[in-house]
Amino acid sequence: MSKKIFPLPQQIVAQIAAGEVIERPVYAVKELIENSLDAGADSLIVTIEDSGLKKITVTDNGEGISKEDLLESFKPHTTSKLTSEEGLSHISTLGFRGEALASIAAVSSMTIASKTIGETAGVIVEVREGTVGKLSPIGMPVGTSITVQNLFGAVPARKKFLKSKRTEFRHIMDLMTQTALAYPQVHLQLSHNGKIIFDLPKTIDVLERVPLLLGNTTYANILPLSYEDSYVSISGFLTKPDSASRSSHKQFIFINQRRVVDRLILSAVKDAYGTLLESTAYPVCILFFSLPYEFVDVNVHPRKEEVRFADNQLINEAVYRTVKQTLAEHNLIFQPRNFKGWGLSDGEDKPKSWRVGSVDSYAGRLLKEKRVPWDIRTVAESVSGDLLQIHSLYLLSPTKFGMTIVDQHAAHERILYEQFLEEFQKQKKNRPQFILSKPVLIDMSFSEGELIKEHIPLLEQAGFTIEHFKANTFFVRAVPLLFQDRNIAELLSELLADLLQEKKPRDLDTVSRRMIAYLACRGAVKAGDRLTKKQAKDLLEKLAQTPNNATCPHGRPTKVAIDLQKLHKMFKRN
Ligand code: ADP
Ligand code: MG
């Protein structure tokens, strides 16, 4: 095979966005996988040791790199994928900057072995901390195998910024999940420290991969979607609203098979779900967009994780309409929940659960005993003046210096949070558990499963008893007493979503506080709940007596004050 890798002309180099930075192991894996896919491989074997820090090997059966090209491949700005300036405006490959192998080689020891179809033997070369070894022949099948060892060995500063090894490996699993969804026709194998994590045979139907990658519950609630016009075609899946997620980790947008993060598309999806979803929920979506290469600029993000469209509006409108229509076409009857609502529930069962006495649960008993929490549901019609609820959301009241506006949900959340926290601290010593009469089997996505395993000791300290069953499924045998009437799967998934975002080291206190924030949020009156004057007044009084009352447990303000000065100014009174 003849030579085909050449340095990019200087002028194109200048146009290319900032260099790819290999900041963590997953970025190296991503670049290697992308190269294999660009080489037309339909089988990728990814072997990881020590979360990628010790060793990463990606072996593919793609077209290979010729002997003439091998030494070029890891020089900076050398590529076979882009030869002219016009090329930049319609990129069809995942890579195009010619930087990845050079960047990886700069921070590791790298070995490249490759064989093209026309050659009788392959060639292998080692690059150790910038020093290029000798090219030697090697017997191997057509394809490429790149091994990256001792990543960041010579750059301890970068190592310092890495998260725990488990976190780094979880990122690699997330990447593999995305790749497995975008390329169902590619055989993918991932192993870690000698253990095969998954081995996915080729398939023509991406759905076959969903149960393993995203869990059976997601699979069971899937709604297929498709759309096509002359500009864009969209295919993929949503799920029924009640299997929406507590985090964004089940949202996948692929543009011409490239995984990207696109807030506008995601918000169009969320908008289309509208009131079918709580504001804090993330709809599950796996959306594949296919549109002409010249309508997408992929050269906008250092790691190519974002793209720009020639026409954003067209895309977003298409998404909004398609999602709405898909939801309208399906029977979205909600699954019955296995927990009894308390706090203000909405829906038809309102009259029943309205009375405190009917809530037969630990929380209900606390309510009855008036220990915890203050009860918003006592309906009393003693009207006091000067307090106004608007849009079933804000409470307006005059103060000595002007007026205040209170967000009823945020305020109630803070009140409940502080009360639950107090109760929880009291119980902390003996940490009462509630043994479930039947263990609950929960099934998680791959990365949630890893996160649970990582946190089992902490969750146990908090009062859970959780056992790994098999693959991504777990048995929950006991929960903290305070949570006995909750939907366990939902509670855990919300907790994990929060922990995933947590930057600080996690300890029991963080976990407990997260659970309590969750409980408070679920118990609190919602935006949209009508309050009587008495309830609204009680809420404000209680808020005033609550510690940390300026914000809700998630940090949103509970209250905004507008002083008279400001009002006078608005009306040009002074
Ligand atoms: P880019 O992918 O942007 O071209 P890279 O530095 O990632 O830049 O790779 C440089 C070149 O090496 C590629 O253009 C390609 O020709 C070659 N190459 C890298 N990995 C592979 C592979 N797995 N199979 C075939 N060719 C490869
Ligand atoms: Mg590349």
Side-chain angles (χ1 to χ4, degrees):
M1 205 162 159
S2 62
K3 181 167 163 61
K4 64 170 186 170
I5 303 185
F6 301 97
L8 283 170
Q10 251 339 93
Q11 164 205 4
I12 308 185
V13 172
Q15 285 169 5
I16 284 178
E20 275 149 22
V21 196
I22 308 296
E23 278 169 357
R24 52 197 331 174
V26 65
Y27 300 148
V29 182
K30 175 172 187 265
E31 294 298 337
L32 296 178
I33 289 181
E34 289 190 353
N35 282 342
S36 299
L37 294 167
D38 281 344
D42 69 357
S43 172
L44 261 73
I45 314 287
V46 181
T47 315
I48 306 287
E49 275 178 41
D50 208 12
S51 300
L53 289 166
K54 191 162 168 208
K55 197 165 169 188
I56 299 167
T57 303
V58 176
T59 303
D60 67 51
N61 63 351
E63 62 172 359
I65 310 174
S66 70
K67 201 155 94 194
E68 291 86 352
D69 276 339
L70 198 68
L71 294 177
E72 294 291 321
S73 66
F74 50 85
K75 288 185 187 161
H77 308 300
T78 52
T79 180
S80 58
K81 301 171 193 174
L82 190 60
T83 48
S84 67
E85 196 175 334
E86 305 87 73
L88 256 187
S89 62
H90 50 85
I91 288 168
S92 62
T93 46
L94 294 165
F96 52 88
R97 293 183 180 138
E99 279 185 87
L101 290 188
S103 310
I104 298 170
V107 290
S108 71
S109 293
M110 187 163 86
T111 309
I112 311 183
S114 197
K115 178 178 145 24
T116 57
I117 200 159
E119 288 163 328
T120 44
V123 269
I124 180 165
V125 69
E126 194 183 350
V127 198
R128 193 175 273 267
E129 274 139 39
T131 314
V132 184
K134 250 184 44 213
L135 271 187
S136 330
I138 183 174
M140 63 181 286
V142 172
T144 305
S145 180
I146 301 189
T147 298
V148 174
Q149 274 173 292
N150 196 18
L151 190 63
F152 309 136
V155 248
R158 193 159 292 174
K159 252 188 169 162
K160 261 206 309 233
F161 289 99
L162 295 179
K163 298 269 167 76
S164 74
K165 294 218 171 117
R166 271 187 181 272
T167 306
E168 294 303 333
F169 184 65
R170 213 175 41 244
H171 286 303
I172 294 176
M173 276 201 326
D174 287 345
L175 167 75
M176 292 299 285
T177 302
Q178 293 154 19
T179 312
L181 292 172
Y183 292 85
Q185 75 286 14
V186 173
H187 163 229
L188 269 187
Q189 190 191 85
L190 170 68
S191 46
H192 190 208
N193 298 337
K195 200 177 118 205
I196 292 184
I197 305 288
F198 60 62
D199 191 5
L200 303 170
K202 293 190 211 184
T203 167
I204 44 164
D205 186 1
V206 61
L207 258 184
E208 281 180 20
R209 292 185 168 184
V210 170
L212 178 75
L213 297 171
L214 304 179
N216 288 317
T217 317
T218 298
Y219 180 69
N221 286 292
I222 235 152
L223 308 172
L225 160 159
S226 83
Y227 170 85
E228 190 162 0
D229 64 21
S230 54
Y231 181 67
V232 59
S233 83
I234 312 173
S235 64
F237 311 97
L238 307 167
T239 64
K240 291 184 186 171
D242 58 342
S243 57
S245 177
R246 294 282 142 206
S247 79
S248 60
H249 87 285
K250 287 186 187 170
Q251 299 190 311
F252 301 91
I253 307 290
F254 300 98
I255 310 291
N256 294 335
Q257 285 190 294
R258 181 193 300 277
R259 166 80 203 278
V260 299
V261 177
D262 192 305
R263 287 180 205 296
L264 287 177
I265 292 180
L266 289 178
S267 75
V269 173
K270 178 97 197 238
D271 286 351
Y273 271 84
T275 50
L276 288 171
L277 277 187
E278 286 171 50
S279 64
T280 53
Y282 294 79
V284 175
C285 57
I286 310 167
L287 299 179
F288 303 97
F289 292 75
S290 156
L291 66 170
Y293 295 117
E294 51 272 32
F295 292 159
V296 202
D297 185 359
V298 293
N299 185 26
V300 292
H301 185 276
R303 281 193 307 275
K304 304 168 289 185
E305 286 167 4
E306 286 169 22
V307 295
R308 205 176 291 141
F309 296 105
D311 196 330
N312 255 326
Q313 189 139 0
L314 269 182
I315 300 274
N316 295 330
E317 272 169 18
V319 171
Y320 179 82
R321 264 185 286 122
T322 312
V323 173
K324 249 200 140 53
Q325 192 181 338
T326 307
L327 293 170
E329 278 165 4
H330 289 86
N331 176 7
L332 300 179
I333 291 178
F334 283 64
Q335 303 296 312
R337 295 286 189 198
N338 59 1
F339 72 102
K340 304 169 198 100
W342 68 288
L344 279 192
S345 68
D346 26 40
E348 283 129 42
D349 63 344
K350 207 167 214 159
K352 258 200 280 136
S353 64
W354 192 251
R355 276 178 22 244
V356 178
S358 69
V359 183
D360 186 21
S361 68
Y362 178 68
R365 285 200 301 282
L366 289 179
L367 277 172
K368 247 201 294 198
E369 290 160 25
K370 294 221 182 323
R371 277 165 61 204
V372 81
W374 163 74
D375 180 23
I376 189 78
R377 292 168 303 178
T378 327
V379 187
E381 266 306 327
S382 106
V383 179
S384 89
D386 287 349
L387 183 84
L388 187 65
Q389 184 193 30
I390 59 165
H391 298 283
S392 304
L393 174 55
Y394 295 114
L395 306 176
L396 266 54
S397 56
T399 59
K400 200 163 165 195
F401 304 104
M403 64 185 284
T404 61
I405 308 172
V406 166
D407 177 319
Q408 65 185 39
H409 175 69
H412 196 195
E413 238 185 315
R414 170 56 77 185
I415 296 168
L416 293 180
Y417 178 79
E418 294 297 334
Q419 286 178 332
F420 287 142
L421 196 61
E422 209 185 311
E423 184 68 17
F424 197 73
Q425 305 289 15
K426 269 194 238 149
Q427 295 180 355
K428 208 167 170 179
K429 269 182 244 96
N430 50 351
R431 194 149 289 134
Q433 264 199 329
F434 179 74
I435 314 283
L436 300 166
S437 56
K438 257 204 328 228
V440 176
L441 185 69
I442 47 170
D443 113 279
M444 297 270 156
S445 72
F446 235 93
S447 59
E448 282 175 330
E450 276 300 296
L451 201 61
I452 284 218
K453 283 187 214 157
E454 189 180 339
H455 284 88
I456 279 182
L458 259 184
L459 291 167
E460 296 207 325
Q461 283 181 55
F464 288 93
T465 302
I466 300 179
E467 260 166 46
H468 183 211
F469 177 47
K470 60 174 190 205
N472 309 323
T473 51
F474 296 82
F475 272 124
V476 182
R477 300 195 181 276
V479 295
L481 195 56
L482 208 54
F483 298 98
Q484 67 161 273
D485 55 345
R486 300 279 110 186
N487 176 329
I488 311 296
E490 197 173 293
L491 169 68
L492 275 173
S493 141
E494 182 143 335
L495 196 60
L496 293 176
D498 271 345
L499 288 172
L500 207 53
Q501 282 157 14
E502 194 74 27
K503 304 227 165 33
K504 292 190 295 290
R506 296 135 189 174
D507 53 16
L508 181 60
D509 237 35
T510 321
V511 175
S512 310
R513 278 169 193 274
R514 290 290 175 194
M515 292 194 300
I516 288 164
Y518 164 84
L519 194 58
C521 181
R522 286 309 157 101
V525 287
K526 299 265 167 337
D529 283 338
R530 294 262 303 275
L531 301 185
T532 63
K533 282 253 163 72
K534 165 84 167 72
Q535 289 172 326
K537 191 164 158 277
D538 282 357
L539 182 72
L540 296 189
E541 276 168 12
K542 200 75 194 176
L543 182 68
Q545 298 154 13
T546 298
N548 310 313
N549 63 7
T551 59
C552 77
H554 306 100
R556 283 198 306 112
T558 52
K559 189 152 83 167
V560 171
I562 301 179
D563 64 26
L564 275 180
Q565 297 293 344
K566 224 181 240 156
L567 283 176
H568 291 337
K569 222 173 186 163
M570 284 181 198
F571 290 98
K572 305 199 183 305
R573 269 184 173 274
N574 47 3

